[in-house]
Amino acid sequence: MSSFKAIRIDKADKGTTAALVQFDEAELMEGDVTVRVEWSTLNYKDGLALTGKSPVVRRFPMIAGIDFAGTVESSTNPNWKAGDKVIGNGWGMGETHLGAYAEKVRVKGDWLVRLPDGISARDAMAIGTAGYTAMLSVLALENHGLKPADGPVVVTGAAGGVGSVAIAVLSKLGYHVIASTGRTSEEGYLKGLGAAEIIDRNELSAPGKPLAKERWAGGIDSVGSTTLANLLASTKYRGAIAACGLAGGMDLPSSVAPFILRGVCLLGIDSVMAPIELRKAAWARLSTDLDSGKLAEITQEIALDQVIEAGARVLAGQVRGRIVVKIG
């Protein structure tokens, strides 16, 4: 195909515009592997790019989308051949490199991970960057030494993509999971994923004390700002919080008290530029530690022409769990 369907973002007089268009294959960027995209997904960052609410996109025109799963069409990279099933996420796709909301992508082969046995391309995108980030967070907590016997773990933004997968994985691993959400109507959904307790996010979103009562041994936070500060203040001695998002803001109005009085650790989680071996480890663990039945329960499917509207709903907090996008 000399042209293909893609969601293109362009610079406008005021902000940006996003539209489903025909994109010329000759305009694809450099790379040694071309992939026929079959599935993508919708993440919070995708919502920011599609709506222009944040300057995520740094090159124009841009094809949006930071995640894809598909089949290699052609390759000059020795690690990949036509017919290989692959996953791509991060590395600036949808930001500085033409992204995944398209029927074709061309990328560096070093960015790709082989689709694990036991995970379909659709399920890989039901997991997507959100689920992969949740698993990177779990791996970081485990590397810190956290074990289920150490006490409860807290997950913020619990009904979102990262939170939903984090709860499902942590509960399967045997942790007592406390889910923090602004959507307490989702209690049944969250307990179905494995949450043992539900708390209202308002408990964590107001300014608190530098040190509070010890409540959890660890946690995964996708909110940031005051919520993260309060998580740290309530973390048990030598516990750790993995920070992987900023839905509540980029600031961190905390103090050094949790770090120097309780030995608490703040673990930064970057999914975009994570080294390939860590990516492989995360995807391998997702193939064994995420219940496929629970994944199906948290996933809804849309078509490429529904992505722009859905991006606005993600930012408005109107989407629970994961959205997969059928491309090919």
Side-chain angles (χ1 to χ4, degrees):
M1 64 177 83
S2 59
S3 67
F4 53 86
K5 288 189 294 184
I7 293 180
R8 173 173 165 152
I9 298 178
D10 287 285
K11 191 76 174 170
D13 291 338
K14 292 184 179 179
T16 61
T17 61
L20 182 61
V21 301
Q22 287 295 125
F23 199 89
D24 192 327
E25 186 172 345
E27 293 186 60
L28 284 174
M29 297 171 71
E30 290 185 4
D32 52 10
V33 180
T34 301
V35 179
R36 186 171 66 255
V37 180
E38 294 158 8
W39 295 92
S40 186
T41 185
L42 189 59
N43 300 288
Y44 190 83
K45 184 183 283 186
D46 295 315
L48 292 173
L50 291 163
T51 61
K53 291 286 179 66
S54 180
V56 170
V57 178
R58 298 193 292 278
R59 174 201 186 274
F60 297 95
M62 175 54 64
I63 296 176
I66 64 175
D67 272 314
F68 69 83
T71 303
V72 173
E73 191 173 82
S74 61
S75 171
T76 57
N77 184 296
N79 294 321
W80 304 106
K81 65 182 186 303
D84 286 343
K85 301 289 187 180
V86 295
I87 301 168
N89 62 278
W91 301 116
M93 286 189 297
E95 300 176 72
T96 57
H97 191 94
L98 296 178
Y101 293 150
E103 293 175 304
K104 277 193 183 185
V105 296
R106 184 175 295 139
V107 296
K108 295 179 181 179
D110 294 344
W111 293 358
L112 299 171
V113 174
R114 196 172 302 278
L115 185 69
D117 291 339
I119 297 182
S120 67
R122 185 185 187 279
D123 281 354
M125 289 299 95
I127 295 167
T129 282
Y132 150 75
T133 301
M135 182 53 80
L136 289 178
S137 302
V138 172
L139 292 175
L141 290 170
E142 289 180 345
N143 190 54
H144 176 75
L146 189 70
K147 302 180 296 297
D150 294 332
V153 291
V154 62
V155 175
T156 64
V162 174
S164 294
V165 176
I167 291 167
V169 170
L170 288 166
S171 64
K172 185 173 181 180
L173 292 173
Y175 288 90
H176 179 101
V177 181
I178 301 171
S180 167
T181 181
R183 292 179 269 174
T184 51
S185 60
E186 300 286 13
E187 179 173 349
Y189 166 79
L190 295 170
K191 289 193 170 177
L193 290 177
E197 298 178 50
I198 313 296
I199 61 174
D200 193 300
R201 71 179 176 199
N202 291 333
E203 287 189 36
L204 301 171
S205 59
K209 299 177 181 178
L211 278 181
K213 179 182 176 182
E214 297 180 45
R215 298 178 67 181
W216 33 71
I220 296 176
D221 175 60
S222 60
V223 178
S225 192
T226 306
T227 295
L228 177 54
N230 285 325
L231 288 190
L232 292 166
S234 295
T235 300
K236 293 184 176 184
Y237 183 74
R238 298 189 67 80
I241 300 295
C244 62
L246 45 66
M250 289 186 67
D251 61 321
L252 181 55
S254 184
S255 76
V256 298
F259 309 117
I260 64 173
L261 297 179
R262 288 186 184 157
V264 169
C265 286
L266 176 58
L267 309 174
I269 307 300
D270 163 55
S271 64
V272 176
M273 305 302 288
I276 199 69
E277 291 305 317
L278 182 56
R279 291 168 181 264
K280 290 177 181 177
W283 282 104
R285 284 286 298 274
L286 284 161
S287 71
T288 59
D289 292 348
L290 179 58
D291 186 298
S292 59
K294 288 183 178 178
L295 183 63
E297 289 173 15
I298 70 174
T299 304
Q300 54 185 292
E301 181 180 320
I302 64 173
L304 188 58
D305 62 4
Q306 298 173 286
V307 165
I308 296 172
E309 180 273 333
R313 289 194 290 115
V314 166
L315 292 195
Q318 296 170 352
V319 173
R320 79 175 186 188
R322 303 288 295 128
I323 292 179
V324 291
V325 182
K326 184 170 177 55
I327 307 283

